[in-house]
Amino acid sequence: FGPGVRRPFMMEASFGIGDNDKQIIDSDAGAMRLRGAIDRMDRYNDDLLVMDYKTGGTEIKREEMATGRNYQMLVYVMVARDLVNKYRLTIPNPPQRVRGGFFWHISNRKVSGVLNLADPQDMALVDSTEDRVVDIMQQAVVGKFGVAPSKPENGRCVRYCDYYRLCRLAMTKLDNR
């Protein structure tokens, strides 16, 4: 993110919890309430950086976010932008904008899944997050839960699924022998 001073600003920043802190996405299919907690937000000069701690060392690639396999950081950055607007009204010298976000893997001290909102592609990815989440919600409301894994591995949607033998993907693979 370049040179600058970075200091912790907020830890466990909750959203969507409590009457005064609702995060709602409205759509034709209804309203979806988002709730959770952002592990850490750092003040970086006049901006905010969103950080999510991961205990495992498996890298989360930006491509996983772009293809819709991992929305966590995208949602966190989207929510953090709303929080910045709220802070402008409630604290002195508030952060001016969200600069980006990343995952920090505690086990190996490595960073992955970096989003830098100075990059137009990353900004477009975050800007499209709400529309992408609404699309998933609309499909779920009408019962569309098709088996179409975007990256199957050895007959599983994800490599660590304990229940893959019950999955239609595994059954389809057996039928094609």
Side-chain angles (χ1 to χ4, degrees), residues 83-94:
L83 292 175
V84 164
N85 291 329
K86 178 180 154 186
Y87 299 146
R88 284 191 186 124
L89 303 173
T90 59
I91 65 172
N93 190 26

Side-chain angles (χ1 to χ4, degrees), residues 62-81:
R62 188 193 170 286
E63 294 79 37
E64 298 288 296
M65 295 183 262
T67 59
R69 290 182 55 84
N70 189 318
Y71 282 99
Q72 183 180 12
M73 185 55 64
L74 296 169
V75 169
Y76 282 3
V77 169
M78 182 182 78
V79 167
R81 291 196 302 191

Side-chain angles (χ1 to χ4, degrees), residues 54-60 105 107-108 110:
K54 295 294 180 197
T55 55
T58 303
E59 176 184 6
I60 299 170
H105 302 273
S107 61
N108 60 15
K110 292 190 178 182

Side-chain angles (χ1 to χ4, degrees), residues 6 13 79 88 94 110 117 126 132 141 154 165:
R6 204 174 97 192
V79 167
R88 284 191 186 124
K110 292 190 178 182
L117 299 188
V126 172
R132 295 166 75 196
V141 166
N154 298 322
R165 287 184 180 91

Side-chain angles (χ1 to χ4, degrees), residues 54-177:
K54 295 294 180 197
T55 55
T58 303
E59 176 184 6
I60 299 170
K61 297 180 180 174
R62 188 193 170 286
E63 294 79 37
E64 298 288 296
M65 295 183 262
T67 59
R69 290 182 55 84
N70 189 318
Y71 282 99
Q72 183 180 12
M73 185 55 64
L74 296 169
V75 169
Y76 282 3
V77 169
M78 182 182 78
V79 167
R81 291 196 302 191
D82 289 346
L83 292 175
V84 164
N85 291 329
K86 178 180 154 186
Y87 299 146
R88 284 191 186 124
L89 303 173
T90 59
I91 65 172
N93 190 26
Q96 298 302 305
R97 66 183 177 161
V98 176
R99 182 69 176 267
F102 57 92
F103 298 103
W104 188 60
H105 302 273
I106 297 168
S107 61
N108 60 15
R109 297 183 187 179
K110 292 190 178 182
V111 168
S112 70
V114 176
L115 289 174
N116 185 343
L117 299 188
D119 179 334
Q121 287 183 324
D122 285 359
M123 179 65 93
L125 189 57
V126 172
D127 287 343
S128 69
T129 299
E130 186 169 332
D131 292 337
R132 295 166 75 196
V133 170
V134 165
D135 183 51
I136 291 168
M137 183 177 82
Q138 288 173 331
Q139 289 181 38
V141 166
V142 297
K144 288 188 180 178
F145 297 99
V147 177
S150 59
K151 192 175 162 185
E153 299 176 26
N154 298 322
R156 301 176 188 187
C157 294
V158 291
R159 67 177 171 78
Y160 52 84
C161 181
D162 292 330
Y163 304 102
Y164 80 97
R165 287 184 180 91
L166 303 173
C167 179
R168 288 187 219 150
L169 180 63
M171 297 306 290
T172 304
K173 186 175 180 182
L174 291 174
D175 291 342
N176 290 333
R177 278 196 242 178

